Amino acid sequence: MIQALVFYVFAAITVASGVMVISARNPVHAVLFLILAFFNAAGLFLLAGAEFLAMVLVVVYVGAVAVLFLFVVMMLDINFIKLREGFLQYLPIGGLVGLILLAELALVFGSWSFAPHAALSVATHVPDLHVVTNTDALGRLLFTHYFYLFQVAGLVLLVAMIGTILLTLRSRPGVKKQNIARQNARTKETSVELRKVPTRGGI
Amino acid sequence: MANLWTGYVWPTAITVAEIIAIIVPVLVGVAYLTYAERKVIGAMQLRKGPNVIGPFGLFQPLADGAKLFFKETIFPNHASRGVFLVAPALTFFLAMVAWAVVPFDEGWVLANINVGVLYLFAISSLGVYGIIMAGWASNSKYGFLGAMRSAAQMVSYEVSIGFVMIAVLLCVGSLNLTDIVHAQEKGVWFIIPHLPLFIIFFISGLAETNRSPFDLPEGESELVAGYMVEYSSMPFAMFFLGEYANMILMSATITTLFLGGWLSPLPFAPFIWVPGVIWFVLKVCFLLFGFLWVRATMPRYRYDQLMRLGWKVFLPFSLVWLVLTAGVLEFGGLLPK
């Protein structure tokens, strides 16, 4: 009973903050509602018994991705009223995309019923969740059964990372940079010069 | 009806009592940490520190609290009021909820969850929101600059904290904080094999809690008070409480991961008579003294040096150490289980 109650609280807040993301007037408030939605989704994961996924959702999405997102939105100079202008114009396309997504979700859920073996073929590698913990089970799946796929995913991320660095790297001339090794190698002899300055004479 | 009583009401009452039993000592600890900070730094600078209110100035924290309570709450012009008020509340709330998984003694833990370390990491990674929201909602340049600095700083140092945690977890084979202490009971405290990681974690902890020498988000000499500049009265007090509670929490985390939690330093007669919780508190106090000592000793870091230290020194080092640990565990046959 309590579990159902908590589920409905989390679900209601998730949906409500999802609505607020697209209807908030201020983009920063929209991002903050997005973060609230993420956080409540983590709560839903926790209720489903997926504690590892819940924590990772908070660490990765809320703790890192959304921070950078918020960072960018705060720095941008956005005209709030102009942002609203095309709302009705884009409504049909947005609605269409939403409908397609809804239909696909329905198909995904439907496939459990019209392909009864689907669940079985997925479940073959899954260790017994009553014996091992959540984290352990995920680790075994990723690092043992799907090791190559995991490596490929890592490579894809590496390529994306290198691409990003390459796009933003530019060497600007005339920028003063500190070379720590050279800084530490400086001695009194090489950097300080004592001079006897004659009065009213200057150097 | 009896079912409702034994099933819901009674467990809830017990949990609430446990929460109060954790929160109240933490808040008292926060109050006396501010006192200890002023006394310790005073002693290091050959001053007396607070010594007027009560014996040895012991009631100073109460007087400070009362003063803040009766101040006026000021809202800046065009501030986003909701966010402005939520930010300090969030900081305070996050500093409190993290205590749920900290094991004070054998079995003295509110929630003995399997992903305890991840929970602590998740909560500490959320801490940055309080600061960003405060800086943005104040509608002030100083506040915003402080928030931007803090966000970059905290996200950077979280990375090396994460790697340090993974290296410790490899030696334990569990994410449960109680299991981590038990693993140190069987073997040695992790500070002995992982001394460099302990140092990295301590320094990253200073950066993560925005303490000197990494207190750039506040940086009095350039940003006035950074993200806190527009805050007064209770919202300011909540930031203050949250920051000091985070310091204690960081010390408790280091104690659990590296200093053997509630274990006594020498496992024989006179030392094991002392209750574990006392050892835990002593270790936390030792680390907190380190926090204060650093503040009294070090000048503030420059921002580019801060970033260099995080990304170019700590991150590669902890990564190499992680691979090394994994290698030694695998080929030395020391893997847990």
Side-chain angles (χ1 to χ4, degrees), chain A residues 43-113:
Chain A
L44 288 175
F45 268 130
L46 211 57
L47 274 184
E51 70 237 13
F52 184 78
L53 280 182
M55 293 303 154
V56 167
L57 184 71
V58 174
V59 171
V60 175
Y61 277 91
V62 184
V65 176
V67 171
L68 299 179
F69 206 52
L70 194 62
F71 216 78
V72 172
V73 172
M74 279 180 182
M75 305 268 249
L76 290 179
D77 186 24
I78 300 172
N79 189 341
F80 302 143
I81 296 134
K82 226 175 183 177
L83 213 64
R84 300 266 111 201
E85 268 176 6
F87 187 71
L88 278 180
Q89 192 187 334
Y90 293 119
L91 194 61
I93 301 175
L96 192 67
V97 171
L99 274 180
I100 291 173
L101 277 179
L102 188 70
E104 288 196 337
L105 269 181
L107 281 178
V108 167
F109 278 108
S111 65
W112 293 111
S113 62

Side-chain angles (χ1 to χ4, degrees), chain A residues 18-51:
Chain A
V19 171
M20 286 305 289
V21 171
I22 50 171
S23 62
R25 287 185 173 277
N26 191 327
V28 174
H29 290 174
V31 177
L32 289 176
F33 276 114
L34 182 69
I35 292 159
L36 188 64
F38 279 151
F39 197 76
N40 281 285
L44 288 175
F45 268 130
L46 211 57
L47 274 184
E51 70 237 13

Side-chain angles (χ1 to χ4, degrees), chain A residues 2 26 28-29 32 35 39 51-52 55 58-59 62-63 66-67 70-71 74-75 133 135-136 178 180, chain B residues 8 80 83 114-115 118-119 121-122 125-126 128-129 132-133 136 144 148 151 155 175 302 304-305 308 337:
Chain A
I2 295 279
N26 191 327
V28 174
H29 290 174
L32 289 176
I35 292 159
F39 197 76
E51 70 237 13
F52 184 78
M55 293 303 154
V58 174
V59 171
V62 184
V67 171
L70 194 62
F71 216 78
M74 279 180 182
M75 305 268 249
T133 61
T135 319
D136 203 338
Q178 185 183 27
I180 300 282
Chain B
Y8 294 111
S80 182
V83 182
N114 282 328
V115 286
L118 265 181
Y119 175 82
F121 192 59
S125 69
L126 288 180
V128 67
Y129 281 109
I132 300 192
M133 282 158 75
W136 177 79
F144 193 60
M148 290 285 118
V155 169
L175 289 158
R302 214 173 59 203
D304 62 315
Q305 290 174 336
R308 177 182 168 274
K337 275 186 285 184

